[in-house]
Amino acid sequence: MATDQAYREYVAGNLDRLRKTAYLLCGDWHLADDLTSTVLVKLLRHWKRATVMEHRDAYVRRMLMSAWLDERRRPWRRESSTDRLPDRAVAVTDADQRLDVRSLLAGLPPRRRAVLVLRYFCDLSVEETAQALGCSEGTVKSQAARALESLRAGLREGDPLWI
């Protein structure tokens, strides 16, 4: 019973952060909710193992990354775009400008997006990011540099979000 309470407390304290991390990885709130639910169910199954871990948050982040990568590999996720345009244009608003970064982030390759999310949203060090992704620190640095370069190229100079 005490382990159930510890699990509930962990989930209550980390649910919002996990959900936001999942959203930044996949770019879709519904899929982020699905990923978060999947990870929390797996965590519950392995809660005994997780309770003795020194870096439980890193373990859960790794589970989230794996769940996201597994989801991307599913055949029904390979949707194709249509050539039909919307009936009318929508005026650009400030919210649209704020979404520029999100759309640019969504356009990055999965590994670069994961590096940016882990480094700058989850505030992990280069070493922790490399460990979470199972790669070298040099790979994390080069992926982060290339990802930031892509984001800068996508934003126009003078935009409020220009880096």
Side-chain angles (χ1 to χ4, degrees):
M1 195 59 143
T3 58
D4 289 345
Q5 184 60 29
Y7 174 78
R8 284 190 202 106
E9 289 172 6
Y10 180 82
V11 170
N14 293 288
L15 181 63
D16 193 43
R17 184 178 46 80
L18 285 172
R19 188 171 176 258
K20 287 178 184 175
T21 302
Y23 172 75
L24 289 172
L25 288 171
C26 67
D28 176 8
W29 282 112
H30 299 288
L31 181 55
D33 288 338
D34 291 345
L35 290 172
T36 304
S37 296
T38 300
V39 167
L40 292 176
V41 167
K42 287 180 181 181
L43 179 63
L44 180 59
R45 277 191 303 197
H46 302 289
W47 184 246
K48 269 188 180 175
R49 182 182 341 161
T51 57
V52 298
M53 292 184 171
E54 186 177 338
H55 302 289
R56 186 180 309 146
D57 290 339
Y59 175 69
V60 175
R61 269 194 306 273
R62 181 66 180 223
M63 290 172 68
L64 184 60
M65 296 290 298
S66 296
W68 174 61
L69 291 172
D70 288 347
E71 185 65 28
R72 287 187 51 87
R73 292 183 191 115
R74 303 214 188 265
W76 58 83
R77 290 288 174 197
R78 296 185 196 119
E79 299 168 355
S80 58
S81 301
T82 64
D83 56 352
R84 281 182 53 192
L85 296 174
D87 293 337
R88 59 187 180 148
V90 179
V92 176
T93 65
D94 287 339
D96 291 332
Q97 289 177 342
R98 285 192 303 263
L99 292 175
D100 281 348
V101 173
R102 288 190 207 153
S103 64
L104 291 171
L105 189 62
L108 291 174
R111 194 142 179 112
R112 289 183 187 171
R113 184 179 336 157
V115 166
L116 288 184
V117 169
L118 292 175
R119 284 281 292 130
Y120 301 108
F121 179 75
C122 295
D123 200 28
L124 298 183
S125 68
V126 172
E127 181 182 330
E128 292 168 329
T129 303
Q131 190 175 22
L133 294 174
C135 64
S136 71
E137 292 179 27
T139 300
V140 169
K141 291 176 187 177
S142 66
Q143 292 291 313
R146 289 184 182 121
L148 290 172
E149 184 180 314
S150 296
L151 291 180
R152 285 184 189 109
L155 292 172
R156 296 171 302 278
E157 190 169 343
D159 278 353
L161 299 172
W162 194 73
I163 313 169

